[in-house]
Amino acid sequence: MEQLDAIAQVLRHAKSVVVLTGAGVSAESGIPTFRGAMEGHWSKYSPQELATPEAFARDPQRVAQWYDERRLKALACQPNAGHFALAKIQEALLNNGASFTLLTQNVDQLHQRAGSTDVVEIHGSIVKWRCTKTHTSDEFYDPEPFETHPLPTPYGGVYRPDVVWFGEPLKTEDLALAKGMCLDCDVYMAIGTSAVVYPATGFISYAIDAGATTIEINPAETILSSEFSHSVRETSGDFLPELYEAAFG
Ligand code: BJW
């Protein structure tokens, strides 16, 4: 309770808030976390064996099937109380005249479906395909699996999931925005991420340089837990609604 009140107080008076979310935020929607996603017949693979450009080049059909299953699951799942509370926190902060930046590593679009706006999808989106040649994605939304891969696009490339794989750079504009907002924030929250993947794991160091209050929300300890001003050992679906009520309710 003391911890909740302290965080609520900081949030209520914040001028610039950055939130980084990871797969744990969608766990209560029924979507396995990234490092828990290797279920059933996928359990013989590691994520690094499927989420790479090399894997797609070697066996596009298998990689596409993994994405098909995860995309259909994401589209069938609903945002949970944590997603909705975060959207309400954003609205309350914007009404207070503060800035709010939501950087998500999640590819499932559940934040947007819960009402969050201007979400920066730093690892892309699982619900879209893009052309390997033009890197255009907007017109390539198709939830139904394609029959075969690689499937040529009209632009001379092939369709691939519109995500950022291991070994690929994040979009320059996303990285610049993330760095700039972290260097300028007074509150930084990392929610539901294991903090093992670069470059997102480094964002906290910019926030610390900025003198921000840093808050982790995760039922499990992470390699970065000791760096945070507050580490909350609860699920996002439990804690974020309480935080919204305590700060703005
Ligand atoms: C709850 C909860 C509840 C559970 N409530 N919480 C060695 C050293 C340093 C770097 C590297 C290295 N080797 C390779 C690299 C670089 C690599 C990297 O970081 N690898 C690490 C594994 C070591 N990074 C990259 O390659 C990145 N690109 C890059 O560095 O480019 C450089 C470059 C420059 C110029 C030219 C070329 C290159 C790209 C990284 C892209 C990551 N992409 C993925 C896949 C996306 C597509 C897909 O979904 O298939 O993104 S990987 C995967 O990890 C996915 C996730 O977004 C990301 C982060 O995972 P996340 O979200 O933290 O999930 P989990 O499952 O790990 O954790 C869930 C957490 O939730 C847990 O802590 C639970 O406790 C918690 N939780 N229930 C709250 N209810």
Side-chain angles (χ1 to χ4, degrees), residues 92-162:
L93 283 165
L94 294 179
N95 286 340
N96 273 359
S99 77
F100 181 91
T101 307
L102 177 52
L103 309 169
T104 188
Q105 299 170 91
N106 297 347
V107 293
D108 56 31
Q109 296 204 335
L110 289 184
H111 284 305
Q112 292 91 327
R113 286 168 57 197
S116 290
T117 53
D118 300 319
V119 181
V120 186
E121 295 176 303
I122 63 170
H123 291 166
S125 163
I126 204 173
V127 308
K128 287 185 285 180
W129 298 90
R130 77 165 182 262
C131 173
T132 50
K133 193 157 179 196
T134 62
H135 303 291
T136 315
S137 65
D138 287 346
E139 64 268 42
F140 296 148
Y141 173 77
D142 189 345
E144 290 310 315
F146 298 126
E147 261 177 36
T148 54
H149 287 274
L151 184 68
T153 69
Y155 306 104
V158 299
Y159 289 100
R160 59 155 283 179
D162 189 17

Side-chain angles (χ1 to χ4, degrees), residues 173-232:
E173 62 267 30
D174 288 352
L175 262 184
L177 183 133
K179 183 176 177 182
M181 295 316 289
C182 289
L183 281 171
D184 194 43
C185 73
D186 53 6
V187 176
Y188 175 85
M189 296 204 272
I191 311 175
T193 176
S194 59
V196 295
V197 173
Y198 291 81
T201 186
F203 293 166
I204 185 180
S205 62
Y206 301 129
I208 290 172
D209 287 349
T213 301
T214 54
I215 300 153
E216 176 182 64
I217 302 168
N218 196 318
E221 192 172 335
T222 70
I223 47 165
L224 287 186
S225 291
S226 61
E227 308 279 321
F228 286 88
S229 322
H230 301 274
S231 268
V232 179

Side-chain angles (χ1 to χ4, degrees), residues 5-17 93 96 98 186-187 247-248:
D5 290 341
I7 297 172
Q9 167 113 340
V10 165
L11 198 59
R12 199 166 34 243
H13 295 106
K15 296 271 173 284
S16 178
V17 176
L93 283 165
N96 273 359
D186 53 6
V187 176
F248 305 108

Side-chain angles (χ1 to χ4, degrees), residues 23 28 34-35 67 70 105 123 164 167-168 193-194 198 218:
E28 287 154 281
F34 191 79
R35 276 155 193 83
Y67 280 92
R70 292 174 55 216
Q105 299 170 91
H123 291 166
V164 181
E168 295 184 322
T193 176
S194 59
Y198 291 81
N218 196 318

